[in-house]
């Protein structure tokens, strides 16, 4: 529930005020200075004077301070409201200790006159808690609820948004003069007085109240030491979130240790599967795929819980020797809530709070999430290079019937530089494609293209993709969200352009982590579109190493796929292709390298597959270029092919180089002192020189 601002209430009241027949309102003198302004500003007519609800002041405490506050408010209201034959009780005072009277006041403005504090409001000889008052407000058919009581803003923590729109509450401690001015202004707006006049009245009266209080001649409803009074526009500065609530939430956790070889089965099945998939397999010295053995396991499993507690006022105070009727679920019973600093609230509130007995009621334990954190150690034939130590972190929000957490986020990290790291998450209940990388050494890193601009150069001399027939022109463009190829002319067979960039760091295949592209094909309802687009890696000899492909090679119907291919230097290859998709295509294609296993490919809908063992490829092959190559078939229309992101990471590089993409000159400064020589043919050349910093 949110408390409405003065302006919000001002606008909302005009929508909610009920029309009543036979009501006469008269503008009378508030002061000599304001009398003519009031008549001129409101310009009431007989019909307009009949609009508006009645006002009921519920006086729920009969002490002298509350009596004074009610009289002061009546004097303010009677300055512009008078009774008539048709509506003799336009403003009523109802003395009661039952706040539920408000639930029977249909169409009225209800003003609650009493003392308040952090726990609740004084109602007769006992307190009514703020959560109960929130229920009363939500159930009441009244059009507006205005509270004099200190700390009444705490009611907003319990009600709903709709009831908050018809509330005026007090934040912390506040003099009754100030509160009565605000309440009077709310009533003026509800009865249709001109908003500009109401704002003028409110400002002048608050200024006068401020003067009375600062000069020590104020009569107010509470005893206090200091109140901030410079908040003419809106008085919120004394509010604090540190008060003691009658509703508490307590959290605790239970930790268990999972260890030993038998403990692996105590992990959630999804976590077991991903650990086994990425770390159990290796290729031994002879090139034979082999499974590691689980050597040790040390996982801390933490289950987090919370329970709620509500302070409930006793209907009839129980005998002093009676036990707590609802014992807490944990070790220690809770102490009664703090009623607040007695120097900041009225003695009536403090006395009533002390005389109001109550008890805590506790809700059940609620599971709020579980985490797994620790290490798993696998070993192979005993040599260090086949032993892996994996840091495991996993978490999830729900508890399965077997006591295990249903994990929705998993992070695995092989200790040491160049180790394999895996992260995987669920979105809307479904596992997403994992992100697999290599831990970088000192010279490792990552390169990505977010597709916000084009950093590739058209290269007519670049090799064709295997099986494609002709090189042509075309354009690579970006709309700020994705890259796309367009402008390929008609031709014979498969033909298209190549766009190339040099990587900022060259690296060997053995240091490759992963290479992936997020791609899509859209048909716009045209089945005859035919396209084959690649995002590729090339080596230093401009030989193809990795091809990430999206394609639709059928003219008569929509039939798409993603494919990942690894090429050896001799041109032989192994590939993994997704199933056919008979609608628009969208997905991520990934190739990764595990230095203890080999080359893996992954596409949507298929399990990650080992294409080549590490001993079957040249690990020293130097990766140098990334290229986008797109092909159109004959005169068939191109697809709307999109490349949203390209990502490449590597564990290390012995060939970090400087490469300028010529997008700007910010990396260069003019240097007249930089040395220069002469050409070998003896001709002297003089020119301004620049150097990269």
């Amino acid at each position: 529930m949110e408390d409405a601002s003065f302006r919000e209430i001002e606008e909302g009241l005009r929508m909610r005020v009920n029309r009543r027949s036979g009501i006469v309102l008269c503008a009378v003198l508030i002061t000599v200075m304001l009398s003519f302004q009031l008549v001129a500003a409101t310009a009431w007519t007989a019909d307009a004077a009949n609009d508006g609800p009645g006002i009921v002041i519920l006086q729920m405490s009969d002490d002298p301070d509350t009596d004074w506050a009610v009289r002061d408010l009546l004097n303010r209201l009677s300055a512009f409201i008078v009774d008539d034959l048709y509506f003799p009780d336009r403003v009523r005072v109802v003395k009661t200790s039952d706040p539920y009277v408000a639930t029977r006041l249909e169409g009225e403005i209800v003003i609650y006159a009493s003392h308040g504090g952090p726990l609740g409001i004084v109602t007769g000889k006992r307190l009514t808690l703020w959560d109960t008052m929130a229920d009363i407000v939500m159930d009441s058919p009244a059009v507006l609820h205005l509270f004099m009581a200190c700390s009444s803003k705490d009611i907003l923590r319990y009600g709903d948004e709709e009831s908050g729109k018809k509330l005026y509450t007090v934040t912390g401690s506040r003099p009754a003069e100030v509160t009565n001015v605000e309440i009077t202004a709310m009533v003026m707006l509800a009865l249709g007085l001109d908003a500009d006049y109401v704002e003028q009245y409110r400002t002048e009266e608050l200024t006068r109240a401020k003067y009375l209080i600062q000069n020590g001649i104020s009569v107010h409803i509470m005893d206090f030491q200091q109140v901030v009074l410079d908040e003419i526009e809106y008085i919120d500065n004394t509010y604090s979130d540190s008060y003691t609530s009658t509703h508490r939430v307590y959290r605790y956790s239970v930790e268990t240790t999972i260890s030993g070889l038998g403990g692996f089965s105590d992990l959630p099945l999804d976590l077991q599967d991903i650990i086994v998939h990425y770390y159990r397999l290796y290729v031994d010295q002879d090139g034979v795929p082999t499974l590691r053995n689980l050597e040790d396991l040390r996982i801390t499993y933490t289950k987090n819980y919370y329970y709620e507690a509500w302070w409930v006022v006793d209907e009839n105070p129980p005998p002093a020797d009676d036990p707590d009727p609802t014992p807490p679920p944990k070790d220690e019973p809770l102490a009664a809530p703090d009623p607040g600093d007695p120097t900041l609230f009225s003695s009536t509130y403090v006395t009533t709070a002390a005389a109001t007995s109550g008890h805590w009621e506790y809700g059940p334990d609620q599971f709020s999430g579980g985490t797994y954190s620790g290490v798993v150690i696998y070993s192979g034939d005993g040599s260090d290079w086949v032993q892996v130590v994996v840091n495991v972190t996993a978490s999830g929000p729900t508890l399965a019937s077997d006591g295990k957490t249903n994990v929705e986020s998993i992070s695995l990290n092989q200790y040491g530089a160049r180790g394999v790291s895996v992260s995987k998450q669920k979105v809307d209940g479904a596992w997403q494609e994992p992100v697999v990388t290599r831990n970088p050494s000192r010279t490792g890193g990552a390169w990505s293209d977010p597709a916000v601009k084009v950093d590739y150069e058209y290269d007519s001399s670049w090799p064709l993709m295997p099986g494609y027939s002709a090189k042509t022109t075309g354009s690579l463009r970006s709309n700020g969200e994705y890259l796309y190829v367009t402008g390929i002319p008609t031709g014979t067979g498969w033909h298209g352009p190549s766009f190339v960039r040099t990587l900022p760091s060259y690296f060997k295949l053995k240091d490759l982590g992963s290479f992936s592209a997020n791609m899509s094909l859209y048909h716009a309802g045209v089945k005859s579109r035919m396209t084959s687009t690649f995002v590729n890696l090339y080596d230093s000899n401009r030989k193809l190493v990795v091809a990430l492909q999206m394609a639709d090679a059928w003219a008569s119907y929509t039939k798409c796929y993603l494919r990942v291919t690894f090429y050896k230097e001799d041109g032989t290859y192994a590939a993994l292709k997704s199933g056919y998709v008979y609608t628009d295509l969208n997905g991520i294609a990934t190739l990764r390298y595990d230095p203890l296993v080999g080359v893996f490919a992954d596409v949507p809908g298929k399990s990650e597959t080992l294409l080549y063992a590490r001993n079957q490829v040249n690990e020293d092959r130097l990766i140098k270029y990334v290229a986008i190559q797109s092909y159109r078939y004959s005169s068939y229309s191109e697809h709307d092919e999109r490349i949203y992101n390209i990502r490449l990471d590597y564990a290390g590089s012995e060939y970090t180089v400087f490469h300028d993409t010529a997008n700007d000159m910010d990396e260069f400064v003019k240097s007249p002192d930089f040395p220069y020589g002469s050409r070998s043919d003896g001709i002297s050349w003089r020119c301004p020189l620049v150097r990269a910093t």
Side-chain angles (χ1 to χ4, degrees):
M1 183 192 292
E2 288 188 4
D3 202 359
S5 69
F6 185 80
R7 286 292 183 188
E8 289 171 340
I9 293 176
E10 173 185 317
E11 295 298 325
L13 284 173
R14 297 174 180 173
M15 305 287 293
R16 289 192 289 269
V17 173
N18 295 331
R19 184 177 184 87
R20 296 191 178 206
S21 60
I23 301 172
V24 178
L25 291 179
C26 300
V28 298
L29 292 176
I30 295 178
T31 66
V32 175
M33 295 288 295
L34 296 177
S35 59
F36 293 106
Q37 296 177 10
L38 173 62
V39 176
T42 57
W44 282 356
T45 65
D47 288 338
N50 290 330
D51 287 341
I55 299 111
V56 178
I57 301 174
L58 292 184
Q59 183 177 341
M60 297 186 292
S61 178
D62 59 0
D63 62 286
D65 284 341
T66 305
D67 287 338
W68 177 89
V70 171
R71 288 196 304 270
D72 178 73
L73 182 59
L74 284 172
N75 289 337
R76 292 180 181 278
L77 295 176
S78 64
F80 63 96
I81 299 175
V82 296
D83 293 336
D84 60 34
L85 295 175
Y86 300 99
F87 201 158
D89 295 318
R90 186 59 181 270
V91 181
R92 293 181 291 153
V93 177
V94 177
K95 292 189 175 183
T96 180
S97 60
D98 180 11
Y100 285 91
V101 169
T103 62
R104 301 189 292 273
L105 298 175
E106 183 175 0
E108 307 278 10
I109 295 173
V110 182
I111 301 172
Y112 301 84
S114 189
H115 301 260
L119 296 184
I121 188 171
V122 174
T123 53
K125 302 300 182 183
R126 58 185 291 167
L127 291 182
T128 296
L129 304 182
W130 289 125
D131 59 346
T132 301
M133 292 305 301
D135 293 336
I136 290 172
V137 169
M138 287 188 289
D139 294 339
S140 173
V143 297
L144 196 61
H145 299 264
L146 310 175
F147 283 83
M148 286 187 185
C150 296
S151 294
S152 52
K153 190 167 186 177
D154 294 357
I155 195 174
L156 301 176
R157 294 183 173 273
Y158 304 101
D160 59 20
E161 181 179 359
E162 188 60 31
S163 61
K165 296 177 181 178
K166 55 182 182 179
L167 272 175
Y168 168 79
T169 58
V170 175
T171 57
S173 303
R174 183 177 301 170
E177 289 91 344
V178 174
T179 301
N180 282 352
V181 171
E182 296 278 11
I183 288 177
T184 302
M186 296 296 108
V187 174
M188 285 179 168
L189 291 172
L191 298 181
L193 271 73
D194 180 75
D196 292 334
Y197 165 72
V198 174
E199 184 65 25
Q200 180 184 353
Y201 165 82
R202 179 170 173 266
T203 301
E204 293 185 5
E205 289 298 303
L206 284 175
T207 303
R208 187 171 69 86
K210 176 180 177 181
Y211 172 80
L212 294 174
I213 296 164
Q214 287 178 333
N215 287 276
I217 56 177
S218 168
V219 179
H220 44 79
I221 201 169
M222 78 294 290
D223 299 322
F224 68 104
Q225 293 178 334
Q226 182 179 4
V227 177
V228 179
L229 294 170
D230 56 355
E231 39 195 343
I232 296 297
E233 187 61 29
Y234 198 71
I235 307 173
D236 267 348
N237 292 349
T238 57
Y239 183 66
S240 170
D241 285 333
S242 62
Y243 67 87
T244 301
S245 174
T246 55
H247 170 248
R248 300 179 184 177
V249 178
Y250 288 86
R251 303 183 185 278
Y252 68 96
S253 59
V254 177
E255 287 189 358
T256 56
T257 300
I258 301 173
S259 61
L261 302 184
F264 192 78
S265 61
D266 293 332
L267 299 178
L269 186 59
D270 286 337
L271 183 55
Q272 293 180 42
D273 289 344
I274 194 171
I275 293 172
V276 168
H277 177 79
Y278 285 98
Y279 298 104
R280 194 178 183 199
L281 175 68
Y282 75 102
V283 173
D284 68 13
Q285 300 278 20
D286 299 322
V288 178
T290 309
L291 295 179
R292 296 183 178 95
N293 298 314
L294 182 65
E295 182 177 307
D296 199 4
L297 171 73
R298 296 189 297 275
I299 301 288
T300 299
Y301 177 28
T302 303
K303 291 188 284 187
N304 299 297
Y305 295 89
Y306 74 91
Y307 64 92
E308 297 179 273
W310 296 267
W311 180 255
V312 179
V313 172
D314 296 325
E315 292 299 327
N316 294 303
D321 56 350
D322 274 8
D324 190 329
T326 53
K330 302 301 148 220
D331 298 335
E332 297 283 337
L334 302 179
D338 184 359
D341 186 345
T343 65
L344 295 179
F345 301 96
S346 68
S347 58
T348 301
Y349 164 77
V350 173
T351 301
T352 306
T356 302
S357 65
H359 63 275
W360 289 104
E361 292 187 354
Y362 301 91
D365 290 350
Q366 301 286 344
F367 182 77
S368 59
T371 60
Y372 296 86
S373 180
V375 295
V376 171
I377 302 175
Y378 275 112
S379 63
D381 58 7
S383 59
D384 291 339
W385 69 276
V386 294
Q387 183 186 66
V388 292
V389 180
V390 183
N391 181 275
V392 176
T393 304
S395 62
T398 59
L399 194 64
S401 58
D402 59 2
K404 301 176 184 178
T405 293
N406 296 311
V407 294
E408 294 191 359
S409 177
I410 297 174
S411 177
L412 307 177
N413 186 13
Q414 180 183 340
Y415 282 168
R418 304 173 188 267
V420 175
S421 295
V422 185
S423 61
K424 194 174 183 181
Q425 287 188 329
K426 275 186 178 181
V427 175
D428 296 330
W431 285 110
Q432 303 301 293
E433 292 296 318
V435 176
V436 186
T437 60
R438 299 269 300 280
N439 297 332
S441 63
R442 184 179 61 83
T443 57
W447 171 85
S448 66
D449 184 354
V452 297
K453 62 179 181 179
V454 176
D455 280 334
Y456 303 79
E457 299 175 359
Y458 170 72
D459 192 334
S460 60
S461 66
W462 201 257
L464 283 167
M465 287 293 298
Y468 291 80
S469 56
K471 304 174 184 178
T472 63
T473 58
S475 298
L476 178 63
R477 297 178 182 174
S478 170
N479 68 352
E481 296 182 10
Y482 55 83
L483 298 171
Y484 62 98
V485 179
T486 188
I488 302 176
T490 60
T492 303
W494 288 103
H495 59 281
S498 299
F499 304 92
V500 184
R501 67 169 293 163
T502 305
L503 290 170
S505 293
Y506 316 153
F507 55 88
K508 293 181 178 180
L509 176 61
K510 65 183 178 183
D511 291 317
L512 173 64
S514 62
F515 179 55
S516 63
N518 185 355
M519 304 182 289
S520 65
L521 277 179
Y522 289 94
H523 298 75
V526 181
K527 296 180 179 180
S528 61
R529 289 184 168 190
M530 296 178 68
T531 294
S532 185
T533 298
F534 298 85
V535 180
N536 299 330
L537 285 180
Y538 282 83
D539 66 15
S540 57
N541 297 316
R542 304 209 308 181
K543 288 188 175 182
L544 185 59
V545 182
V546 181
L548 309 179
Q549 179 190 16
M550 57 178 168
D552 182 347
W554 290 266
S556 57
Y557 47 87
T558 299
K559 188 176 181 181
C560 310
Y561 62 87
L562 288 172
R563 174 173 162 144
V564 176
T565 308
F566 182 86
Y567 290 85
K568 294 184 178 181
E569 290 168 296
D570 61 4
T572 58
Y573 63 88
L576 176 67
K577 186 168 72 172
S578 71
Y580 292 117
V581 178
Y582 298 92
T583 59
D584 294 333
L585 174 70
N586 194 329
I588 299 174
T590 303
L591 182 135
R592 71 176 181 93
Y593 187 74
D594 186 325
L596 300 181
V597 186
V599 178
F600 287 91
D602 192 15
V603 292
K606 294 292 183 73
S607 298
E608 187 182 57
T609 301
L610 179 65
L611 299 183
Y612 287 110
R614 61 181 182 82
N615 64 310
Q616 295 176 304
V617 297
N618 178 9
E619 291 186 317
D620 292 324
R621 198 172 174 187
L622 190 62
I623 310 298
K624 187 174 181 180
Y625 305 101
V626 60
I628 295 175
Q629 297 172 270
S630 188
Y631 295 92
R632 175 183 180 183
Y633 188 78
S634 187
S635 60
Y636 287 97
S637 299
E638 304 169 57
H639 281 79
D640 176 6
E641 72 272 14
R642 303 176 181 182
I643 303 170
Y644 296 97
N645 183 273
I646 305 170
R647 190 182 187 283
L648 171 69
D649 74 89
Y650 51 95
S653 172
E654 301 172 14
Y655 302 89
T656 301
V657 297
F658 173 78
H659 175 70
D660 182 42
T661 54
N663 290 320
D664 55 54
M665 296 183 293
D666 293 339
E667 296 171 338
F668 295 87
V669 295
K670 190 173 182 180
S671 179
D673 299 326
F674 201 77
Y676 60 91
S678 58
R679 288 172 57 95
S680 59
D681 57 9
I683 301 175
S684 297
W685 293 79
R686 299 184 64 84
C687 61
L689 292 167
V690 294
R691 59 183 173 84
T693 57

